[in-house]
Amino acid sequence: MKKETINELLLRSFDQELTGDEKARLEDALAGSEALRREKAQLEALRQMLGGLQAAPAAGFADGVMGKLNASPVEATLLSMLPRAAAACLIVLLLTLIGIYLAEGSLSTEAIIGVNDLAPEDAYTYLEY
Amino acid sequence: MHRKPDVVERARQGEQAAFRQLVEENEGLVRSTVKGMLGDTAEADDVAQEVFIRFFRALEDFREESQVGTYLSRIAINLSINELKRRQRRNRWLSVLRKEDSQAIEDDSMNPGRKDMQDLLRKALQRLDPDFRAVVVLRLIDGYSVKETAGILGLPQGTVASRLARGQQKLREILEKWL
């Protein structure tokens, strides 16, 4: 019997009823193979651990749901748009900085606020106005 | 997970306390399902809350032939898969800017504590294809039978059994040194 077939039988045995013949084949294979017994034990341990992953109640979860339900439609819409708005602002900022770097060759404070190309007398001129 | 027609009816009629009761009774199930699908992330609880919001909006159409638990699980799986697709699109953009997180299962200890083991298990679950992950989550974390899992996912029982077997096999291979 090919190991793959016994392996499939072993996996199936946890969740489906095997026929009499299938059970006998699996038991014979388990009796004759330590590797297969180890695999079975590992699968049993894995299934037990998965069963232990159930989430414990979280403080404030129900309050959060009821709060969202009771939020006004406008509030709910604005809240849902917040992440996208933040992402859009970040992209604009990034593009602006890239533009400044390409134009000025630097991201210094002077380059960002646009006084890189100003001479001191220009400031005096602006002050006059 | 038995039916509570009285509570559902009261919630349908707008009684907030009744709906809150439904949330509290099914919170564990929904959060387990979503965390199983998305991992223990901040967005998992947002998605879990959204499951109940969708349920509230669908209360009028909820037929009590289906149990509340299985109905919520179906919504939870669908919203989780949507979130995974959103995550995939987002990661495609971000992978241009940074190295991709390999989601490696790294733990040098041969005897990780219970919490570490749970973390390892959650990371291993994220390595499964979502279709296989959904079956493993519903059957082995949430405790649904193969038949119930097939009903929730709208799949034949044979497909569920096959995905369950392959999912478990893959998890065992990933976690072999710790099992």
Side-chain angles (χ1 to χ4, degrees):
Chain A
M1 194 64 60
K2 288 184 182 175
K3 190 179 184 294
E4 291 78 14
T5 308
I6 288 295
N7 180 261
E8 287 167 1
L9 206 55
L10 173 64
L11 283 160
R12 210 156 48 81
S13 70
F14 288 102
D15 297 294
Q16 289 178 303
E17 196 68 37
L18 300 182
T19 64
D21 281 348
E22 287 172 333
K23 272 186 205 168
R25 270 172 41 205
L26 182 58
E27 277 163 21
D28 282 347
L30 283 166
S33 168
E34 193 190 321
L36 195 64
R37 288 196 297 276
R38 187 167 56 247
E39 193 175 321
K40 184 181 177 212
Q42 286 175 338
L43 286 166
E44 282 167 345
L46 176 65
R47 290 171 70 95
Q48 193 172 20
M49 284 191 303
L50 284 165
L53 282 186
Q54 287 171 0
F61 182 86
D63 288 337
V65 173
M66 302 313 290
K68 284 179 181 175
L69 280 177
N70 290 324
S72 73
V74 171
E75 272 175 33
T77 307
L78 286 174
L79 276 171
S80 71
M81 284 171 60
L82 216 51
R84 280 185 215 166
C89 288
L90 204 61
I91 290 171
V92 167
L93 185 64
L94 216 59
L95 289 172
T96 306
L97 288 172
I98 291 170
I100 290 171
Y101 183 79
L102 290 173
E104 303 291 336
S106 150
L107 282 177
S108 63
T109 314
E110 290 82 11
I112 290 172
I113 63 176
V115 298
N116 244 2
D117 296 327
L118 286 182
E121 50 271 25
D122 294 329
Y124 180 71
T125 310
Y126 285 135
L127 282 170
E128 267 190 330
Y129 286 105
Chain B
M1 286 180 280
H2 53 278
R3 294 169 58 173
K4 299 224 184 255
D6 181 46
V7 174
V8 172
E9 187 51 40
R10 282 162 43 213
R12 193 179 278 137
Q13 286 171 13
E15 190 183 313
Q16 290 226 342
F19 188 75
R20 190 186 175 104
Q21 186 181 337
L22 288 172
V23 172
E24 286 169 351
E25 285 172 358
N26 292 282
E27 172 194 333
L29 172 68
V30 169
R31 289 181 68 243
S32 294
T33 305
V34 174
K35 279 178 184 271
M37 290 297 292
L38 302 182
D40 199 358
T41 59
E43 65 214 347
D45 266 355
D46 286 337
V47 173
Q49 288 182 344
E50 184 62 25
V51 170
F52 288 101
I53 306 292
R54 297 286 180 104
F55 177 50
F56 180 80
R57 291 184 188 145
L59 262 178
E60 281 298 318
D61 302 326
F62 173 65
R63 288 190 208 90
E64 291 175 53
E65 288 83 22
S66 160
Q67 292 181 9
V68 172
T70 50
Y71 191 79
L72 287 169
S73 294
R74 192 175 298 127
I75 301 175
I77 292 289
N78 289 341
L79 289 187
S80 297
I81 287 177
N82 289 347
E83 179 58 31
L84 286 170
K85 287 178 183 169
R86 246 195 305 271
R87 216 188 253 180
Q88 224 178 6
R89 285 194 297 268
R90 207 164 49 222
N91 286 344
R92 248 184 254 133
W93 281 97
L94 292 176
S95 67
V96 174
L97 301 172
R98 64 171 169 81
K99 243 166 66 169
E100 238 174 273
D101 183 6
S102 66
Q103 289 274 315
I105 310 285
E106 284 168 15
D107 188 300
D108 292 330
S109 82
M110 286 308 293
N111 291 300
R114 184 170 169 270
K115 185 170 187 316
D116 293 333
M117 200 61 223
Q118 286 192 342
D119 288 342
L120 287 172
L121 192 44
R122 288 201 188 281
K123 284 179 185 166
L125 269 170
Q126 293 305 300
R127 301 268 289 270
L128 294 185
D129 183 277
D131 289 341
F132 291 83
R133 199 184 312 164
V135 169
V136 169
V137 166
L138 290 171
R139 173 76 186 98
L140 298 179
I141 297 180
D142 294 341
Y144 288 109
S145 66
V146 169
K147 186 177 174 185
E148 287 168 330
T149 301
I152 290 168
L153 296 174
L155 293 170
Q157 288 187 47
T159 304
V160 167
S162 163
R163 289 184 185 178
L164 190 54
R166 288 170 64 186
Q168 286 177 96
Q169 184 66 352
K170 172 111 194 222
L171 286 174
R172 192 190 68 82
E173 286 165 10
I174 294 168
L175 296 169
E176 191 161 10
K177 71 172 181 176
W178 295 289
L179 288 172

